[in-house]
Amino acid sequence: MKAKLFRIFKDEKQTLGEIQIGDLSLFTLELPDLNNDGIDNNEVRKSCIPEGVYRVKKHNSPKFGKTFWVKDVPGRSAILIHPGNYHYHTLGCILVGLDQEDLNGDGLIDNKSSKKAMEFLLEYDITELEIVTI
């Protein structure tokens, strides 16, 4: 099954979006987008992954439990879709949430109910992820 991630807001600290699969829509939080020209500037632990279409498979992470592994990302490894609330919870992975707001008063948007969002996402058998900016 194909999921689609729409990136809808970017700044120097984070990238916000929405992942859609079937009738499910969840919020996403990633590192800032430093990919100005394809995979150039695709810096590990500093930037979100480039736009594109990626293979995805379910994965049991020692740290995060049941997740999805985004495969074949140029210059990257171990990119996961997993729960997380704050921009500093990701080193390049895609964090999911049921809602978003500034939870800690730092002026940045955070994910809410990320573990519950991951539970909903795991109900789907995602095999492909397309990432686009709108």
Side-chain angles (χ1 to χ4, degrees), residues 1 20-26 124:
M1 182 173 266
Q20 296 178 350
I21 179 168
D23 59 355
L24 180 66
S25 182
L26 301 170
Y124 292 84

Side-chain angles (χ1 to χ4, degrees), residues 4 6 8 13-14 25 31 34-35 40 43 48-49 52 59 72 78-79 81 83 86 88 100 103 106 111 121 130 134:
K4 197 159 191 177
F6 299 96
I8 55 177
K13 295 275 189 181
Q14 61 189 7
S25 182
L31 288 175
L34 304 178
N35 303 306
D40 292 344
E43 295 188 61
C48 62
I49 63 175
H59 176 70
D72 304 323
I79 300 296
I81 301 173
Y86 305 102
Y88 52 80
Q100 291 181 321
L103 296 174
D106 64 359
N111 278 342
L121 192 59
E130 181 179 2
I134 58 172

Side-chain angles (χ1 to χ4, degrees), residues 81-117:
I81 301 173
H82 66 80
N85 294 344
Y86 305 102
H87 75 282
Y88 52 80
H89 283 163
T90 181
L91 298 175
C93 295
I94 300 166
L95 309 179
V96 293
L98 291 183
D99 200 359
Q100 291 181 321
E101 70 177 69
D102 182 359
L103 296 174
N104 58 359
D106 64 359
L108 299 172
I109 300 298
D110 308 308
N111 278 342
K112 293 176 66 176
S113 305
S114 63
K115 289 181 182 176
K116 189 55 136 176

Side-chain angles (χ1 to χ4, degrees), residues 5-7 15-19 26-30 94-97 100 111:
L5 191 158
F6 299 96
R7 291 178 173 153
T15 300
L16 304 176
E18 189 174 317
I19 193 167
L26 301 170
F27 291 95
T28 61
L29 176 59
E30 302 174 80
I94 300 166
L95 309 179
V96 293
Q100 291 181 321
N111 278 342

